[in-house]
Amino acid sequence: MSLSYRADIDGLRAVAVLPVLAFHFGQPWMPGGFVGVDVFFVISGFLITSIIQRELSAGTFSLLHFYERRIRRILPALFVVIAGSLAAATVVFLPHHLRDAGQSAVAATVFASNILFWLEAGYFDAAAYTKPLLHTWSLAIEEQFYLFVPLVLMALARLGRRPVFWIGGLTLASFVLSALTTATVPTAAYYLLPWRAWELGVGALLALGLVPAFGGRALREGAALLGLVMILLAAVILDKGTAFPGVAAALPVLGTALVLHAGASGGTRIGGLLGSTLPVWIGRRSYSLYLWHWPAVVFFLYVFLDMPDPLEALGLFALSLLLADLSFRFVERPFRRPTFGSRRTVFAGAGAAMVAVIAIGLVPVVGTGLPFRLPPEAKLLAAFAEDRHAAARACERRQNGKDWSEPCLFGAPAGGPAPVVLLGDSHGPAYVPALDLAGQELGLTVEMLAHRGCPNFPDFQVYWIGEEHDCGPYVDTTFERVLADPDVELVIYTLRAQLYAQGWPDYSLTERNRSPLLIGPRAGPLPDGADRTAFYLDRLDAAVGRLRASGKQVLLVYPLPEAEQHVPEAAARALVRGGDPGDLSIARTRFDDRTATIIAGYDEIVQRHDLLALRIDGILCDETVCDLLLEDVPLFRDTNHLTETAARLLAPRFVQVLRDAQVAR
């Protein structure tokens, strides 16, 4: 196959990179912009296989020459971005984030960052916004492919086997793996080569001539238009809740294949559009643009603690484009010239640079994030992320592992059954410090029963997309036991109600990009458009009704505010940049908008069943804001769980409500 320059492929690179930027800049009109990476994969598979197969057919293929070209193309710009990211991180990052950045730099240098990020977390998790090299996972995928495909094609050529058959088989196997297992192992499917290889394989199969050329002009035009529409449609209709790659990735992958093959079969209007000046200009800089845009996003968010608004996003785009142009002119293009150094110089220089970058990356790893860089006050604020009741945390871990064999008891030393039982999700352990102190003062034993992300209501399930999460064992094991236990006099519900009733808060920087959280009965999630608040309140009403019918009192703890960002980290980062951590707060309207319907429902349930009620928001909020720090102490260890220090301040409120309940002592 001829490899004469095709301007339309450079233009297609622009189509790939721009949706990625829009998605990462937080623009809601491009919720599936991450599919641009899949477009890159198909292009890479097509071009690399075309080069290798042409040179194998001509008898001129050299593995050393192939890797020399890959080094010239990829490493110089990558190393500049890694160095720049580490330098910026050293100035503004907290120690644990700098340590992670150093670790990412090492992994990116040896093209294993996809494996590192697979082991750490999901692509859409909140922690993504503290990883300036997260996007290098896709480069690792491509480099792993480059290690694999030349050897396979060389072996097949020597054996006289048809590469289409073998590459086709591997591509099909990868697609089947991705289609069948993406929903069950989403992080592995997103990051690892076996689940992604089919996307590069589709491009490789085009290069190997699997599909006959589109003969007629009308067919070429239709295929090119359809392909471009498929790519753009995927970027608009898919989102972070889509099981991806899986079958969903077929839309952008096949769309890219159609555009590539139509262009290879002859000229098209779409090809002419893609090959015009502006798309080609962007496409030729797409590699550097991809490399620079994500660190720009991460450091913006790290400093300003919020997603960019449209004007700020435009500024970030302009900055990324400027950095990309400079990188293209002064890094990419010079190193790609064959006259720039001999092959020996290229390999020796690459090896030395890799060793240097690894050594630099290891400094914050070995030095645990170089904490001496920060003022003591910032380190103290950041440490509140671990301000948790040790015994409650140990019990929470055991109960999250579905082990309720050993009771978790707090308050007064247990001389018999606990008359007070706390039924909670992860907010339950957060309230234990207050209940522990209150129980000690009143001579009461309190038992904690909790499970992350699980309200303890019969026939209520929480569906965490992309995670194995089953509330059934928690509810089945604990609710009926508490209901039937005559020694239990008071049941306390502490829940993050707005999470189940409304999903993740769209204003939260740390949670807005998480996969959707759905609720419903055991049979399955509620249908789209269902009133999930009404369902949540109905199940709560039914649960407390049964508890009251059995003669137990019930204390309903009302919802807490939810912060826009991780509070201890935000406070420490504000201090580092010269701000006042005490200014951290959220608008009262955000809390009211999230909780008004829930609080009204709670009020009705409390009145109907004659429940005890406890509202904390009055302590944290005034008419305009809800504070996130109280006398320089973070109230939350993340966005919504009370620190132990803050929870202890609530002990008098629980003392009073327990006295009102007149629980036997």
Side-chain angles (χ1 to χ4, degrees):
M1 176 175 289
S2 174
L3 282 183
S4 57
Y5 173 70
R6 284 179 53 184
D8 65 311
I9 292 182
D10 271 335
L12 191 57
R13 288 190 173 108
V15 172
V17 76
L18 292 177
V20 175
L21 267 65
F23 174 73
H24 284 157
F25 291 161
Q27 301 310 296
W29 47 272
M30 195 66 74
F34 52 84
V35 302
V37 172
D38 306 85
V39 177
F40 277 126
F41 284 160
V42 181
I43 294 173
S44 293
F46 174 75
L47 292 177
I48 292 303
T49 306
S50 298
I51 293 170
I52 296 172
Q53 193 61 21
R54 181 194 63 176
E55 294 181 356
L56 283 173
S57 299
T60 59
F61 180 74
S62 163
L63 202 57
L64 286 178
H65 183 51
F66 173 79
Y67 287 124
E68 178 191 349
R69 285 180 296 188
R70 293 298 89 205
I71 289 171
R72 290 178 181 272
R73 174 77 175 91
I74 292 172
L75 293 189
L78 174 63
F79 287 163
V80 170
V81 170
I82 291 175
S85 297
L86 285 178
T90 302
V91 175
V92 301
F93 271 15
L94 297 179
H96 60 294
H97 292 147
L98 179 59
R99 178 201 62 212
D100 291 346
Q103 188 171 261
S104 300
V106 173
T109 303
V110 297
F111 300 107
S113 57
N114 62 325
I115 298 172
L116 172 67
F117 297 132
W118 161 60
L119 293 172
E120 288 184 344
Y123 187 66
F124 303 118
D125 285 353
Y129 290 127
T130 62
K131 298 177 180 179
L133 299 175
L134 177 66
H135 61 324
T136 62
W137 73 269
S138 65
L139 304 184
I141 289 279
E142 292 196 15
E143 283 301 307
Q144 290 158 16
F145 178 79
Y146 298 157
L147 290 174
F148 166 77
V149 73
L151 301 177
V152 171
L153 292 175
M154 288 173 64
L156 293 173
R158 290 182 179 179
L159 295 172
R161 304 293 176 84
R162 293 187 60 199
V164 169
F165 175 79
W166 294 95
I167 298 296
L170 293 171
T171 300
L172 179 61
S174 173
F175 175 73
V176 170
L177 174 67
S178 182
L180 294 181
T181 65
T182 287
T184 54
V185 287
T187 308
Y190 201 94
Y191 281 121
L192 300 185
L193 180 62
W195 283 266
R196 291 287 193 167
W198 68 274
E199 301 180 32
L200 294 120
V202 167
L205 290 173
L206 285 180
L208 293 172
L210 176 66
V211 183
F214 295 143
R217 175 85 186 197
L219 181 59
R220 295 198 307 272
E221 294 286 1
L225 177 60
L226 176 61
L228 185 59
V229 168
M230 290 170 68
I231 295 170
L232 298 178
L233 186 64
V236 172
I237 68 171
L238 302 181
D239 59 31
K240 59 183 179 291
T242 306
F244 201 86
V247 175
L251 188 61
V253 167
L254 295 181
T256 307
L258 285 172
V259 175
L260 285 172
H261 197 57
S265 302
T268 66
R269 291 186 177 88
I270 295 297
L273 177 64
L274 293 174
S276 58
T277 302
L278 183 59
V280 168
W281 190 90
I282 295 173
R284 294 186 69 189
R285 290 154 179 79
S286 61
Y287 176 58
S288 283
L289 186 55
Y290 180 78
L291 284 178
W292 280 110
H293 87 280
W294 180 247
V297 173
V298 167
F299 290 113
F300 176 91
L301 296 177
Y302 208 90
V303 171
F304 295 105
L305 304 174
D306 200 0
M307 292 295 292
D309 62 29
L311 186 60
E312 291 166 339
L314 187 61
L316 284 175
F317 174 71
L319 174 63
S320 301
L321 206 57
L322 173 62
L323 292 172
D325 186 52
L326 294 173
S327 176
F328 176 74
R329 291 173 182 271
F330 300 110
V331 181
E332 279 194 73
R333 195 160 56 184
F335 277 95
R336 288 168 65 179
R337 292 178 183 143
T339 55
F340 191 94
S342 65
R343 178 175 298 172
R344 176 175 294 181
T345 301
V346 167
F347 278 101
M354 291 178 75
V355 170
V357 173
I358 290 171
I360 294 171
L362 285 174
V363 170
V365 176
V366 176
T368 60
L370 311 180
F372 61 83
R373 300 171 298 117
L374 303 181
E377 297 85 354
K379 290 185 281 188
L380 181 63
L381 287 170
F384 275 96
E386 298 300 323
D387 186 26
R388 304 173 67 174
H389 193 284
R393 185 176 190 179
C395 285
E396 181 183 13
R397 287 173 175 168
R398 189 171 72 251
Q399 293 185 350
N400 282 341
K402 298 179 173 56
D403 178 8
W404 296 278
S405 59
E406 180 181 344
C408 292
L409 302 177
F410 302 94
V420 180
V421 173
L422 183 153
L423 291 181
D425 54 9
S426 60
H427 278 211
Y431 279 104
V432 160
L435 286 164
D436 191 30
L437 291 176
Q440 291 176 35
E441 180 172 337
L442 298 175
L444 290 172
T445 301
V446 180
E447 180 179 4
M448 182 190 83
L449 293 169
H451 192 293
R452 179 182 68 95
C454 288
N456 202 318
F457 315 149
D459 198 25
F460 186 97
Q461 183 66 277
V462 183
Y463 299 89
W464 295 62
I465 304 302
E467 293 186 42
E468 183 181 348
H469 187 85
D470 184 5
C471 297
Y474 171 48
V475 178
D476 294 343
T477 305
T478 59
F479 184 83
E480 296 296 336
R481 191 259 287 176
V482 170
L483 187 70
D485 189 342
D487 294 311
V488 175
E489 300 180 40
L490 174 66
V491 174
I492 302 174
Y493 270 118
T494 58
L495 301 164
R496 188 181 178 186
Q498 56 269 55
L499 176 63
Y500 312 111
Q502 297 193 11
W504 303 109
D506 59 5
Y507 63 79
S508 173
L509 175 62
T510 60
E511 294 178 328
R512 64 187 297 169
N513 277 337
R514 297 194 66 172
S515 297
L517 181 144
L518 308 177
I519 64 171
R522 293 282 185 91
L526 294 174
D528 291 341
D531 189 341
R532 55 190 291 166
T533 302
F535 178 79
Y536 169 83
L537 292 171
D538 176 74
R539 287 297 191 266
L540 171 62
D541 183 79
V544 299
R546 292 182 62 190
L547 290 166
R548 291 294 285 144
S550 69
K552 304 181 190 311
Q553 297 191 78
V554 177
L555 167 62
L556 199 55
V557 181
Y558 279 54
L560 286 170
E562 300 160 300
E564 297 169 327
Q565 58 269 323
H566 188 289
V567 175
E569 290 183 0
R573 284 149 61 176
L575 188 66
V576 168
R577 71 170 191 269
D580 182 1
D583 292 338
L584 289 176
S585 62
I586 65 168
R588 175 64 191 251
T589 53
R590 285 186 167 172
F591 172 68
D592 291 339
D593 290 344
R594 281 276 284 174
T595 61
T597 305
I598 299 167
I599 289 175
Y602 272 29
D603 289 342
E604 292 180 8
I605 292 171
V606 167
Q607 184 175 7
R608 181 162 50 250
H609 296 288
D610 190 24
L611 308 184
L612 298 164
L614 180 60
R615 290 191 64 164
I616 308 299
D617 56 282
I619 302 175
L620 309 181
C621 306
D622 59 25
E623 293 181 354
T624 58
V625 299
C626 296
D627 292 323
L628 301 178
L629 278 79
L630 183 62
E631 297 180 357
D632 296 328
V633 173
L635 296 173
F636 300 100
R637 59 176 171 81
D638 46 25
T639 63
N640 61 96
H641 296 89
L642 292 168
T643 59
E644 180 177 5
T645 302
R648 286 178 175 272
L649 298 177
L650 301 177
R653 301 293 296 270
F654 279 97
V655 168
Q656 184 59 51
V657 77
L658 290 174
R659 280 183 174 148
D660 292 343
Q662 297 181 342
V663 180
R665 292 187 291 276

